[in-house]
Amino acid sequence: MVSVVVPAHNEAAVLGRLLGGLLAQAAPGEFDVVVVANGCTDDTEGVARSHGVRVLTTPVPSKREALRLGDAAARGYPRLYVDADIELSTAAARALAAALSAPGGPLAAAPERDLPMTGRPWTVRAYYAIWTRLPHVRAGLFGRGVIAVGEEGNARIRALPPAMADDLAASLAFEPGERVIVPGARAVIRPPRTFADLMRRRVRAVTSVSELEQAAATAGERTGARDLLAIVARRPWLAPAAALFALVAVLARRRAARAIRAGDYTTWLRDESSRS
């Protein structure tokens, strides 16, 4: 049985979208879905129950705690950890599970990203035009809303220290030959609808990478000038987008500096616009 763990903090507006797509074509008992409503003040729990999945609740608003509780309650492998605000179809979940179940298969898997840009301002579109072309973004498990593991992969990520950037930490826990992006699986991840919300995401990313580097004493995933120049060399028309990307990176580092100096790795700057 494939287990699916969904940590959900005030996700009543979007959780039904995820569960509806995930279960639309699922056979009875095919997926063991556990939604962990953590620190919720909305009807996240009610939405989850209306879809007939198992629901755990905790007053602690912590994704890490929610993942721990969901993991302890999950019944099978492969195991998918899925963000509540994305969209994942039955077929995509099956493809991820199949990739991990194949003989000699990888320890961890993730889907391709679908990033709908309709209604997004040019600044957001330009940023993602560069971000999606970065080599470490294309190869990493992070930023996809789903990480799937087998039993051995699960043991590895459970041994990781707590980190805000849990998906990046999980990605770095596996060597390139131990992880795979499954072409037959796609997840819809909604980009921010405003530049301000894009900046919130990026400040959180900079802060979380700093935390990860301190906790693991290893370099996180960072973009350098060479990466941007390589993209522009192949696609000169992306030069303005690369300039904007660099500006966002500088602004995000400056805004994150105070939290990093204070060791504040708990304040979660959430993008609400993509949930509307």
Side-chain angles (χ1 to χ4, degrees):
M1 177 185 290
V2 177
S3 283
V4 181
V5 176
V6 184
H9 171 68
N10 288 342
E11 300 287 14
V14 294
L15 181 60
R17 184 177 64 193
L18 165 66
L19 296 177
L22 175 66
L23 300 173
Q25 298 176 338
E30 180 178 0
F31 297 137
D32 164 41
V33 181
V34 183
V35 173
V36 186
N38 61 99
C40 294
T41 57
D42 66 358
D43 195 32
T44 294
E45 182 180 351
V47 172
R49 293 193 187 281
S50 72
H51 285 80
V53 302
R54 291 197 288 146
V55 182
L56 303 177
T57 61
T58 173
V60 181
S62 164
K63 183 178 180 181
R64 175 77 182 189
E65 176 67 7
L67 287 169
R68 185 189 67 79
L69 292 172
D71 208 35
R75 295 168 178 159
Y77 292 99
R79 192 163 295 176
L80 280 60
Y81 301 99
V82 183
D83 289 348
D85 61 333
I86 70 159
E87 295 175 53
L88 188 74
S89 68
T90 306
R94 286 173 178 161
L96 290 168
L100 292 169
S101 301
L107 301 183
E112 296 280 5
R113 304 179 185 92
D114 279 341
L115 295 160
M117 290 293 170
T118 302
R120 272 58 180 180
W122 74 268
T123 49
V124 172
R125 298 196 307 271
Y127 181 90
Y128 279 98
I130 300 299
W131 187 78
T132 55
R133 289 177 167 86
L134 295 171
H136 65 276
V137 172
R138 296 174 68 87
L141 302 178
F142 60 90
R144 299 177 187 273
V146 185
I147 292 180
V149 293
E151 192 164 2
E152 183 180 348
N154 174 259
R156 190 172 300 181
I157 62 175
R158 288 178 68 177
L160 294 172
M164 183 187 295
D166 55 284
D167 57 345
L168 176 56
S171 181
L172 293 173
F174 300 98
E175 297 296 328
E178 297 177 323
R179 65 189 192 223
V180 66
I181 305 303
V182 181
R186 305 195 71 84
V188 179
I189 301 148
R190 307 240 170 220
R193 292 180 178 273
T194 69
F195 183 73
D197 281 294
L198 171 64
M199 287 304 306
R200 289 187 185 93
R201 286 196 183 191
R202 299 319 305 162
V203 171
R204 186 181 74 212
V206 171
T207 306
S208 59
V209 167
S210 174
E211 177 196 25
L212 187 60
E213 290 176 337
Q214 293 182 40
T218 186
E221 301 284 2
R222 292 186 180 272
T223 303
R226 287 186 179 181
D227 298 312
L228 300 182
L229 291 173
I231 291 172
V232 172
R234 291 190 295 270
R235 300 172 181 85
W237 63 89
L238 286 176
L244 174 75
F245 185 97
L247 175 62
V248 169
V250 170
L251 291 175
R253 282 196 289 271
R254 288 181 177 176
R255 294 184 186 182
R258 179 179 297 178
I260 292 171
R261 286 195 300 269
D264 178 7
Y265 299 119
T266 59
T267 300
W268 188 270
L269 298 177
R270 179 155 132 161
D271 163 24
E272 296 290 354
S273 70
S274 61
R275 289 171 166 82
S276 61

